[in-house]
Amino acid sequence: MASTDDKAKRREQEKLASKAAKPAKKKSELRETIVVVIQALLIALIFRSFAYQPFSIPTASLQPNLMIGDYVLASKFTYGYGRYSLPMGIIPFEGRIFGNEPNRGDIAVFKPVPQDDNYIKRVIGLPGDRIQMKQGRLFINGEMVEREMVERTTDTDSFNTTLPVIKYRETLPNGVSYIVQEISDTAALDNTQEYIVPEGQFFMMGDNRDRSQDSRVLSAVGFVPFDNLVGKAEVRFFSIKDNINPWFVWMWPGNVRWDRMFTSVYD
């Protein structure tokens, strides 16, 4: 039969063993948490790099279709993978893997040749096309694109400047239809030279025709090489007025555009 001293020793040993086990258990839990966080970050990075990447709309160039404060997801796989599809262009390779050329009327994210920032515009001209603006009307390969007046309204840009505009429904030769806005048909980019789109490049334009710096400005955007495409815009997943940061949740009431969330950018 164990003595009182033996029992006391055993209790003391059990206490010491329990104290030693607690730090080990805490270290194990911390390690597991770090592993889970790293795994989640890797999954997010892979998803962003190869599936869908989120982009915010900071300017009025695609209004009313994409408004300032819209957040969209662009699919990476639609056009295949090029240098600029990957984060920060970290792999400097030429060409595209699984490349598919965009269709006329797509809304595409890209990096213009002279710029570092991502741009988002509509694909208007394909390789070999002749593009020109005459008195506010779009001509593709010598043919005037169909345009029908919708309404007179106003448009507010990123500098909070509001001007009257006319909305038109424009229909491209392939049947893609969308709304464009014009302040007038005599603005600086409403009468242009004829642009001949080089092979392997595309001509991009904003839907807000008098408030868009796009391929019509050769020194700033110009023709966009296929390799410079980032992805095809697909869906709005969030929208908030006045470009308010989306994490300012206390400002959501009255500012979030609930009717624009989780809607196609081609509606």
Side-chain angles (χ1 to χ4, degrees):
M1 205 172 168
S3 66
T4 303
D5 289 345
D6 290 339
K7 290 179 180 177
K9 284 179 182 179
R10 278 200 301 272
R11 282 198 296 269
E12 189 64 29
Q13 288 172 351
E14 288 171 358
K15 286 180 182 178
L16 290 173
S18 177
K19 287 180 181 178
K22 284 180 181 177
K25 185 178 180 182
K26 287 181 179 179
K27 287 181 181 178
S28 176
E29 289 176 350
L30 178 61
R31 232 182 351 255
E32 288 177 4
T33 301
I34 292 171
V35 168
V36 168
V37 170
I38 291 173
Q39 288 175 337
L41 291 173
L42 286 173
I43 291 170
L45 179 62
I46 292 170
F47 183 84
R48 184 181 184 277
S49 299
F50 297 102
Y52 290 93
Q53 182 174 345
F55 294 93
S56 63
I57 307 300
T59 71
S61 69
L62 277 168
Q63 289 186 161
N65 300 304
L66 289 180
M67 300 181 69
I68 296 170
D70 279 354
Y71 287 76
V72 302
L73 287 176
S75 65
K76 295 294 190 70
F77 48 84
T78 301
Y79 303 142
Y81 303 98
R83 174 180 179 179
Y84 296 104
S85 302
L86 303 175
M88 299 176 289
I90 54 176
I91 304 177
F93 65 93
E94 298 295 324
R96 299 188 79 83
I97 301 170
F98 309 119
N100 295 296
E101 290 192 353
N103 295 313
R104 200 191 308 276
D106 284 0
I107 297 176
V109 180
F110 60 94
K111 284 190 181 295
V113 175
Q115 306 286 341
D116 292 325
D117 296 330
N118 288 313
Y119 277 41
I120 182 167
K121 308 287 182 184
R122 193 178 295 275
V123 179
I124 296 296
L126 305 179
D129 280 346
R130 294 178 289 114
I131 307 295
Q132 188 172 16
M133 295 293 293
K134 297 179 184 179
Q135 297 181 335
R137 300 300 299 269
L138 172 62
F139 286 74
I140 299 178
N141 297 324
E143 297 292 327
M144 186 167 63
V145 171
E146 180 184 339
R147 189 182 82 170
E148 179 184 0
M149 181 177 170
V150 175
E151 64 173 340
R152 294 180 182 272
T153 182
T154 58
D155 177 72
T156 303
D157 65 12
S158 54
F159 300 101
N160 208 32
T161 302
T162 301
L163 293 173
V165 296
I166 302 176
K167 286 184 179 180
Y168 298 94
R169 177 162 292 281
E170 192 171 81
T171 303
L172 295 174
N174 62 349
V176 174
S177 180
Y178 49 87
I179 300 296
V180 298
Q181 292 183 162
E182 289 274 10
I183 296 171
S184 76
D185 282 337
T186 58
L189 296 176
D190 281 332
N191 290 282
T192 70
Q193 67 186 76
E194 184 177 69
Y195 306 91
I196 300 176
V197 185
E199 285 303 312
Q201 302 192 44
F202 298 86
F203 195 91
M204 309 291 193
M205 291 178 66
D207 297 337
N208 202 359
R209 292 287 162 78
D210 296 328
R211 285 178 154 171
S212 175
Q213 181 171 263
D214 48 41
S215 290
R216 292 173 291 176
V217 185
L218 294 177
S219 61
V221 180
F223 304 112
V224 178
F226 186 32
D227 290 358
N228 288 44
L229 296 181
V230 176
K232 178 186 177 183
E234 297 280 4
V235 64
R236 307 176 195 90
F237 66 91
F238 188 73
S239 183
I240 192 166
K241 298 175 185 176
D242 302 323
N243 242 355
I244 296 169
N245 287 324
W247 50 87
F248 290 179
V249 293
W250 59 91
M251 299 186 72
W252 284 17
N255 289 303
V256 170
R257 305 183 187 106
W258 300 102
D259 61 323
R260 295 181 67 80
M261 293 173 65
F262 303 106
T263 57
S264 170
V265 301
Y266 302 101
D267 287 345

